C-alpha cells in the first residue's frame, strides 16, 4: 500500500489473523503474551477477527480469545460464526452439484484421492479418507460422496470440501488440482500433508472478510492481516497491511513484503505491541 505524501496513514480498525501456524503455538494454544496483545487491541477499539481454515466445530479451543463481537470467519470464508453462542451467522456454501463436479475431475486427474465434507451438521467422509485430527473419535456419516451429497444424503450447505491424496507432494497436488478443477471452485491448502481445501467459486478468506468489513464500514486500508499458508494469500493481498510470519510457506514469504517473527515467537503479538505503542501504525 502506498500513502499519498502529506496525508496520514489510515488508522487500524481491524486485525484479521489466521490461527494455526500464525497466531497459535504448537498444539493450538494461545500464549499469554498473545492473549494479552489481543485483549489490548480490543480495549483500544480495534476489532480482532480470526480468519481460519478451521471449521466452526474446532473453534471452542480459542473461544475465550474472541473479541467483544464474538465472531470468527471459518472454513476459509465458508462461514461466519458467533463462536461464543455456537451460532452460524452466514454461510457461503458449495453446492452439491459443484462439489460432485470437482470430485469427478479430481478422481480422473488424481487417482486415489478421497473426500470429506464440513457442513453445518458436522463432518462426513468417504471410507478411504483417514481421520487423524481433533474429533476423529466422534461419530460421523461415512459413505461414497455421491450418496452423502445426494438429495437424501446427510451433507447439506457444504462449507468446505476436503480432498486427501495418499502420497503426492502437497504443492504438486495443489497445482494439479487447480489445473483439473480450478474453474469449478476455489482450491487451496494449509496443511503439511497432501490435503486440499475446496470452497465455492469466489469464496476465500478475503471475500468473506471483505463482506464482514463492508457491513461494519471498514475499508481494506484499515485492516492489518497475518498469515502463513497459501489459503491466506488472498486475504494478505486484500488487506491494507499484511504480515507473513517467519515460518510461513515460501510462496507466502515471497508474496508478502513485510514479515514478523514466527508463531512460536509470538509474531502477531510482536506487531500488535508495536502498533498499540505507536501513533496507530505498525512499522512498514
Amino acid at each position: 500500500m502506498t500513502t499519498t505524501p502529506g496525508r496520514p496513514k489510515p488508522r487500524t480498525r481491524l486485525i484479521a489473523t489466521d490461527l494455526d501456524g500464525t497466531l497459535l503455538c504448537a498444539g493450538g494454544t494461545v500464549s499469554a503474551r498473545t492473549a494479552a496483545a489481543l485483549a489490548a487491541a480490543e480495549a483500544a477499539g480495534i476489532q480482532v477477527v480470526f480468519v481460519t481454515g478451521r471449521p466452526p466445530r474446532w473453534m471452542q479451543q480459542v473461544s475465550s480469545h474472541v473479541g467483544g463481537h464474538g465472531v470468527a470467519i471459518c472454513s476459509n470464508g465458508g462461514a461466519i460464526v458467533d463462536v461464543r453462542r455456537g451460532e452460524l451467522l452466514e454461510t457461503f456454501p458449495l453446492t452439491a452439484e459443484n462439489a460432485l463436479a470437482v470430485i469427478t475431475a479430481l478422481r480422473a486427474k488424481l487417482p486415489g484421492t478421497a473426500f470429506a465434507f464440513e457442513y453445518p451438521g458436522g463432518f462426513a467422509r468417504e471410507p478411504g479418507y483417514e481421520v487423524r485430527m481433533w474429533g476423529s473419535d466422534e461419530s460421523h456419516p461415512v459413505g461414497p460422496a455421491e450418496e452423502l451429497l445426494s438429495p437424501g444424503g446427510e451433507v447439506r450447505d457444504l462449507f468446505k470440501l476436503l480432498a486427501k491424496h495418499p502420497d503426492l507432494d502437497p504443492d504438486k497436488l495443489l497445482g494439479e488440482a487447480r489445473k483439473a478443477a480450478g474453474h469449478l471452485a476455489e482450491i487451496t491448502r494449509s496443511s503439511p500433508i497432501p490435503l486440499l481445501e475446496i470452497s465455492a467459486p469466489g469464496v476465500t478468506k478475503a471475500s468473506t472478510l471483505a463482506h464482514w468489513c463492508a457491513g461494519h464500514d471498514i475499508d481494506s486500508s484499515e485492516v492489518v492481516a497475518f498469515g502463513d499458508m497459501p489459503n491466506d494469500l488472498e486475504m494478505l493481498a486484500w488487506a491494507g497491511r499484511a504480515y507473513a510470519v517467519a515460518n510461513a510457506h515460501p510462496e507466502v514469504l515471497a508474496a508478502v513484503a513485510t514479515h514478523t517473527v514466527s508463531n512460536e515467537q509470538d509474531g502477531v503479538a510482536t506487531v500488535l505491541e508495536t502498533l498499540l505503542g505507536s501513533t496507530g501504525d505498525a512499522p512498514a
Side-chain angles (χ1 to χ4, degrees):
M1 182 188 71
T2 59
T3 303
T4 303
R7 291 186 183 177
K9 291 181 181 178
R11 65 192 178 101
T12 300
R13 296 184 59 200
L14 187 142
I15 303 296
T17 180
D18 172 55
L19 291 177
D20 299 285
T22 299
L23 184 80
L24 305 183
C25 300
T29 58
V30 179
S31 74
R33 179 182 178 185
T34 294
L38 295 176
E42 288 279 350
I46 301 172
Q47 280 195 34
V48 177
V49 177
F50 298 151
V51 189
T52 177
R54 288 187 180 206
R57 64 194 179 95
W58 285 358
M59 292 302 294
Q60 288 309 311
Q61 187 180 17
V62 294
S63 62
S64 61
H65 304 287
V66 175
H69 49 80
V71 165
I73 294 171
C74 296
S75 298
N76 291 332
I80 301 177
V81 183
D82 185 322
V83 176
R84 290 203 189 93
R85 296 169 61 185
E87 179 182 342
L88 286 172
L89 301 179
E90 288 190 76
T91 63
F92 304 89
L94 181 66
T95 67
E97 181 182 15
N98 263 35
L100 288 169
V102 171
I103 289 166
T104 299
L106 294 186
R107 281 176 178 162
K109 180 77 171 178
L110 301 160
T113 303
F115 298 90
F117 314 88
E118 294 284 359
Y119 61 107
F123 173 81
R125 64 181 175 90
E126 291 192 306
Y129 187 103
E130 293 185 6
V131 182
R132 297 178 181 174
M133 294 293 284
W134 304 300
S136 59
D137 56 344
E138 296 173 359
S139 175
H140 53 259
V142 179
E146 291 79 3
E147 179 181 306
L148 294 169
L149 291 165
S150 71
E154 288 88 346
V155 177
R156 293 279 191 283
D157 299 322
L158 184 62
F159 298 144
K160 184 167 68 170
L161 173 65
L162 300 165
K164 186 185 291 186
H165 194 274
D167 51 29
L168 269 182
D169 171 80
D171 286 323
K172 182 178 171 120
L173 176 64
L174 177 58
E176 292 299 308
R178 284 176 168 169
K179 289 177 190 175
H183 60 294
L184 297 170
E186 299 295 333
I187 306 176
T188 190
R189 60 170 288 257
S190 64
S191 172
I193 66 172
L195 175 65
L196 302 174
E197 302 167 48
I198 303 164
S199 305
V203 175
T204 65
K205 287 187 175 186
S207 69
T208 303
L209 177 61
H211 174 76
W212 170 263
C213 287
H216 292 78
D217 196 27
I218 297 173
D219 188 77
S220 63
S221 65
E222 299 172 307
V223 176
V224 178
F226 299 86
D228 74 313
M229 287 297 280
N231 66 328
D232 296 313
L233 283 168
E234 293 88 353
M235 175 178 73
L236 296 171
W238 178 83
R241 281 171 289 168
Y243 292 82
V245 288
N247 53 290
H249 187 282
E251 185 179 356
V252 177
L253 291 172
V256 179
T258 310
H259 302 167
T260 182
V261 294
S262 74
N263 63 323
E264 296 294 341
Q265 296 174 294
D266 296 309
V268 174
T270 299
V271 174
L272 294 187
E273 289 163 357
T274 302
L275 185 154
L276 295 168
S278 71
T279 59
D281 278 353

